[in-house]
Amino acid sequence: MSNIPETGRTPRVQIRLIIIQVLVFSLLLTLGGRLWYLQIRNGDEYTAEAASNHVQQVVQPAVRGSILDSRGVPIADNQTRLVVSASRTELMKMKDDGDAVLTRLAEVLDMAPKDVHDKVRLCDSKTPQPCWNGSPYQPIPVTDEANTQQALQIRERAEDFPGITAEPTAVRRYAAPGKAGTSQVLGYLSPVTDVEIEKAQDSDSPYLRSDQVGRSGLERTYDKELRGKAGVTRYEVDNLGRVIGEADSDKAQPGANVVTSIDARVQGVAEYELNEAMKAARKENDRNTNENYKADAGAVVVMESKTGRVVSMASQPTYDPNSWVGGISGKDYAKLTGKGSNYPLLNRAIQGQAAPGSIFKVISSAAAVNAGYDFHGNYPCPASYSIGNQVFKNFESKGYGSIDLGRALEVSCDTVFYGIAHKEWQKDGGTKPSKNTGDWFYKTARQFGLGKETGVDLPNEVPGRVPDRQWKQSFWEANKDSWCKQGKKNGDYVEQIAFENCLEGNKMRAGDSVNYSIGQGDTLVTPIQMAKIYSAISNGGTMYEPSIGKAVISADGKRTDEIKPKAQGRLPMNASTQASINDALAGVASRGSAAWRFQGWPQKKIPMHAKTGTAEVYGKQTTSWFASYTEDYTIIMTISQGGTGSGASGPAVRKIYEAMYGLTPDGKQDIKKALLPKPQQALPKIETDGSIDAPKIKPYVPEKPEIPVDGEQIAIGGRD
């Protein structure tokens, strides 16, 4: 037993009790302060947040606006399909999370159970597609290809399919009226991404997770106008996610309709004739390689000469944009993007770059006049032109004696332009340029708008290339090390070129200048750029920004916002030069390099102007170019590895004109058969209920038989 007195313990116990009391009081004070902060200081804020946790939104997607041709024919619209959807909220109430229901649904839809389950699972960083990245409270589409029988089974056996609906829903459709696909112009849709949602949060047109977004073509350019505004219904839910009531809702607002300058009838003709021209070229022998032409890609642009509006734009190879509707399969995506696909998603009218060949000579003619040469002066046109030990031949090694620039355009004489370009190169100092070089050929090309985008209202246009001295220097700096490593003085052709480029690839050599003057060498243009230039020559010199969108009309037809043509300036030539070039291009069609393709054409009634082009590309067959215009329209066609301009592209261009003007092969006109003898002026009318009284379109059927040329068929490759 301890001998410590009882009174000795009391002070220590009291101290402990006091400490405990202080701690308890401090905790109570802290808790009280926190409660005051939460309930009084920030009470309203947290009350609102708590309430919002019990309100969930269900989105009703807006009906996307249609894309119409110039007469109101839908080229992209919506069709009603039977869409089967699953309510995740209802499925999660079941003991097996809806597994049995989804399995029964898969059997009815002839789908694999796994595919159905995957479609209704929610997306996260670890879940691969397919999955649902929208609101879990929104019905999740399982398929938009259900047939009537399947939909009836689901609705009649509702007790077996709780949470499953089968309802008509608007789904995007690319109608291809008259077999006019217009694929690369229209583009396609795909689901919005998280990055896009984040970027658009503070804009006046935010994205919802259920939105489909335009990825290319007009669908992308006019996405904001076409998309409309989704409707939102707000539901009150408990802490288990069960709906206990409906709050308020905002009705969906349908998207506006975009009227284009495209004429679906002309588009069908252009697509057909381009494809036929490529097929015909593949049957012809290339005498340079002793193989048939590959004709692996091509493009055609039909433009209103006085406005810059695009009436037709076709590109080959092409694709069906409907393959993207509802999500593209991996197999189809590989077909469109794989190495062996030749990339049909490319719009070669605005993204296909190639040397222009002789259709570039209108620019060289203007450059020569700007440099001080008389358009009507006499210039030698020998069969070849020599610079040192290099010989630059005329096409087919023909000579025409002493001629002016107009005749040089008519017969496509290369050596006339070689001589002028060589003299200008010498005046500028050759490989040791003076401080104030004229560089007329390069400056004039840029004044024509080459080397930059035209501004056409389609995404991802490419600028082409004007290989002037600045470009030569930059290109040399970027590639010098590679050239020096690869080059050999006495190696094969490629190694010798690399060796020369290593030493002086930054210098403008005489050969560079003379090749450039006829649209060869490092020059790159696109069909839309050349259409802009030739339409400006046609209309007297005004360059217009190419455009496809013509107007945006509200879904009820009450509001119309027209898209007016935009002038971008004047061609760098005076009226006299423009008139002289115009006359020469008429001569190309009537007595020059394209005359054999336009025999029987009613030149007095519908004056035709043309320029042929055949561009040589190292390691490939020649590129066919054909540029042309009438008073109303400009048509440019090109075929990669297709042969000569007049041989491969010329006949197809003529047939497009014949269809537009209602001409027979022998030159007689039937205005009743003319598709578009004059550009479409009036806009289509859209009724208040959204309906459009659009004309029906029949597939294009070409006139036959083809007219002979001097009693015989001249083979492709015979002329420039």
Side-chain angles (χ1 to χ4, degrees):
M1 179 178 286
S2 172
N3 296 322
I4 299 175
E6 186 68 26
T7 54
R9 297 179 182 174
T10 302
R12 280 188 285 182
V13 172
Q14 289 177 339
I15 292 171
R16 290 174 184 168
L17 289 173
I18 292 171
I19 292 173
I20 291 172
Q21 289 173 350
V22 170
L23 289 174
V24 171
F25 180 77
S26 299
L27 290 172
L28 290 173
L29 185 64
T30 301
L31 180 61
R34 182 60 177 166
L35 289 172
W36 174 86
Y37 179 82
L38 293 175
Q39 294 186 5
I40 299 176
R41 172 69 185 276
N42 282 6
D44 293 341
E45 177 183 343
Y46 287 104
T47 298
E49 286 193 18
S52 68
N53 286 338
H54 289 79
V55 175
Q56 294 295 339
Q57 297 180 345
V58 174
V59 177
Q60 292 84 41
V63 176
R64 193 172 180 87
S66 297
I67 301 176
L68 311 173
D69 87 339
S70 60
R71 300 190 306 152
V73 177
I75 49 180
D77 59 1
N78 307 289
Q79 68 177 157
T80 301
R81 293 188 187 177
L82 285 171
V83 177
V84 176
S85 303
S87 170
R88 188 175 174 82
T89 301
E90 293 297 320
L91 295 176
M92 291 300 101
K93 294 177 183 178
M94 303 173 192
K95 292 182 179 180
D96 62 352
D97 294 334
D99 180 73
V101 172
L102 294 177
T103 300
R104 286 195 295 272
L105 180 63
E107 184 178 351
V108 170
L109 297 177
D110 294 325
M111 295 176 65
K114 183 180 183 302
D115 293 340
V116 174
H117 282 77
D118 287 350
K119 287 209 170 190
V120 300
R121 63 185 177 178
L122 300 181
C123 292
D124 57 32
S125 59
K126 297 180 181 179
T127 304
Q129 289 284 347
C131 58
W132 177 245
N133 66 349
S135 167
Y137 298 95
Q138 183 173 343
I140 301 173
V142 176
T143 181
D144 61 7
E145 297 180 348
N147 57 44
T148 305
Q149 184 178 359
Q150 291 169 334
L152 286 174
Q153 286 187 62
I154 294 169
R155 302 191 74 164
E156 289 176 354
R157 296 163 49 197
E159 68 280 1
D160 292 333
F161 298 101
I164 306 300
T165 57
E167 298 177 343
T169 305
V171 177
R172 202 59 166 171
R173 178 185 70 155
Y174 299 96
K179 296 186 177 180
T182 328
S183 305
Q184 292 88 352
V185 174
L186 292 172
Y188 57 90
L189 305 176
S190 68
V192 67
T193 65
D194 289 339
V195 174
E196 288 168 330
I197 292 172
E198 184 69 27
K199 286 183 178 179
Q201 276 183 348
D202 297 328
S203 71
D204 60 350
S205 182
Y207 288 122
L208 298 171
R209 284 194 175 275
S210 58
D211 279 337
Q212 294 276 309
V213 183
R215 291 299 175 201
S216 68
L218 297 174
E219 291 279 29
R220 176 173 168 181
T221 301
Y222 295 100
D223 182 72
K224 182 178 177 181
E225 292 82 357
L226 291 165
R227 187 160 25 103
K229 186 177 181 181
V232 178
T233 301
R234 297 168 182 85
Y235 291 99
E236 296 178 4
V237 299
D238 61 17
N239 58 353
L240 296 178
R242 294 174 297 195
V243 176
I244 57 177
E246 183 174 336
D248 57 356
S249 62
D250 300 320
K251 289 185 177 180
Q253 299 175 12
N257 301 293
V258 174
V259 178
T260 71
S261 54
I262 297 290
D263 187 293
R265 301 167 302 172
V266 178
Q267 179 71 24
V269 175
E271 290 181 9
Y272 179 90
E273 292 298 350
L274 173 62
N275 189 49
E276 288 297 301
M278 293 171 64
K279 284 168 28 178
R282 295 184 195 119
K283 297 177 182 178
E284 299 295 332
N285 182 260
D286 177 6
R287 60 191 179 189
N288 295 318
T289 63
N290 202 28
E291 296 177 350
N292 283 6
Y293 287 105
K294 293 182 175 63
D296 54 349
V300 60
V301 176
V302 182
M303 180 181 287
E304 292 179 7
S305 295
K306 295 182 177 69
T307 64
R309 285 176 169 151
V310 176
V311 176
S312 171
M313 179 182 286
S315 178
Q316 283 285 348
T318 189
Y319 70 100
D320 182 4
N322 287 299
S323 61
W324 292 86
V325 176
I328 191 168
S329 68
K331 185 178 180 181
D332 286 341
Y333 185 77
K335 286 181 180 179
L336 297 179
T337 59
K339 289 183 179 179
S341 67
N342 202 16
Y343 309 109
L345 295 179
L346 283 178
N347 184 347
R348 286 173 165 81
I350 66 169
Q351 296 173 301
Q353 303 180 108
S358 292
I359 67 168
F360 185 82
K361 288 174 182 172
V362 294
I363 298 165
S364 295
S365 297
V369 174
N370 292 345
Y373 295 84
D374 184 359
F375 190 93
H376 301 289
N378 290 320
Y379 306 97
C381 177
S384 63
Y385 188 90
S386 298
I387 300 176
N389 61 356
Q390 281 187 296
V391 178
F392 297 86
K393 293 183 178 181
N394 220 7
F395 191 77
E396 293 189 335
S397 299
K398 287 186 177 180
Y400 291 89
S402 184
I403 58 178
D404 65 8
L405 290 178
R407 183 60 177 161
L409 286 172
E410 288 181 9
V411 298
S412 206
C413 177
D414 294 338
T415 51
V416 165
F417 296 98
Y418 289 155
I420 296 174
H422 189 206
K423 287 179 182 178
E424 285 303 299
W425 176 81
Q426 291 172 325
K427 284 182 182 179
D428 288 336
T431 56
K432 297 179 180 179
S434 58
K435 290 184 179 180
N436 298 313
T437 57
D439 283 337
W440 285 106
F441 280 79
Y442 301 99
K443 288 180 181 178
T444 302
R446 292 197 179 278
Q447 290 170 338
F448 268 83
L450 296 183
K452 62 181 180 181
E453 295 90 343
T454 65
V456 65
D457 51 346
L458 290 174
N460 303 319
E461 182 188 5
V462 298
R465 182 166 68 205
V466 176
D468 53 18
R469 297 179 192 276
Q470 183 179 354
W471 177 84
K472 289 278 287 184
Q473 181 66 32
S474 300
F475 193 66
W476 179 72
E477 290 173 359
N479 294 279
K480 179 184 176 183
D481 292 343
S482 174
W483 284 331
C484 293
K485 187 175 181 180
Q486 181 186 11
K488 293 180 182 178
K489 185 176 182 179
N490 298 317
D492 59 25
Y493 177 78
V494 174
E495 291 170 335
Q496 289 180 40
I497 294 296
F499 179 78
E500 293 175 10
N501 285 335
C502 169
L503 296 178
E504 52 181 25
N506 60 333
K507 295 181 179 180
M508 185 68 71
R509 293 166 287 199
D512 296 325
S513 291
V514 298
N515 265 330
Y516 170 81
S517 70
I518 63 163
Q520 294 283 175
D522 293 312
T523 308
L524 294 176
V525 302
T526 63
I528 193 69
Q529 288 175 325
M530 300 313 294
K532 172 184 170 181
I533 289 170
Y534 274 83
S535 66
I537 297 172
S538 169
N539 68 38
T542 301
M543 291 185 288
Y544 284 97
E545 180 178 279
S547 61
I548 299 175
K550 196 172 181 180
V552 177
I553 304 179
S554 61
D556 59 8
K558 293 181 179 179
R559 179 177 176 180
T560 299
D561 296 319
E562 286 196 53
I563 303 169
K564 300 289 187 181
K566 296 179 183 177
Q568 291 183 328
R570 302 280 299 174
L571 291 176
M573 62 174 76
N574 58 34
S576 175
T577 302
Q578 189 274 332
S580 296
I581 290 177
N582 186 67
D583 290 342
L585 296 179
V588 172
S590 59
R591 57 182 177 270
S593 59
W596 67 296
R597 287 304 192 190
F598 281 90
Q599 288 191 4
W601 182 266
Q603 190 70 8
K604 291 183 179 180
K605 187 174 183 179
I606 306 173
M608 174 61 63
H609 305 74
K611 186 69 195 83
T612 56
T614 306
E616 297 178 359
V617 182
Y618 176 74
K620 291 187 175 183
Q621 296 167 314
T622 54
T623 300
S624 168
W625 283 93
F626 199 91
S628 63
Y629 63 82
T630 61
E631 181 184 358
D632 303 297
Y633 302 107
T634 296
I635 300 181
I636 305 291
M637 182 177 285
T638 183
I639 299 175
S640 168
Q641 303 196 90
T644 66
S646 62
S649 299
V653 170
R654 174 171 179 157
K655 289 174 184 175
I656 296 172
Y657 280 118
E658 287 175 345
M660 294 175 74
Y661 286 112
L663 296 172
T664 59
D666 59 0
K668 295 179 181 179
Q669 187 176 29
D670 183 350
I671 202 68
K672 293 181 179 179
K673 292 184 178 180
L675 298 183
L676 201 65
K678 291 290 181 182
Q680 177 74 22
Q681 299 294 331
L683 292 172
K685 184 179 180 181
I686 297 176
E687 303 295 341
T688 54
D689 62 357
S691 63
I692 306 168
D693 186 17
K696 301 294 183 182
I697 293 181
K698 296 179 180 179
Y700 166 65
V701 179
E703 290 275 353
K704 291 189 177 184
E706 292 189 20
I707 58 171
V709 181
D710 293 334
E712 65 181 66
Q713 180 67 40
I714 297 179
I716 290 176
R719 308 190 182 187
D720 187 15

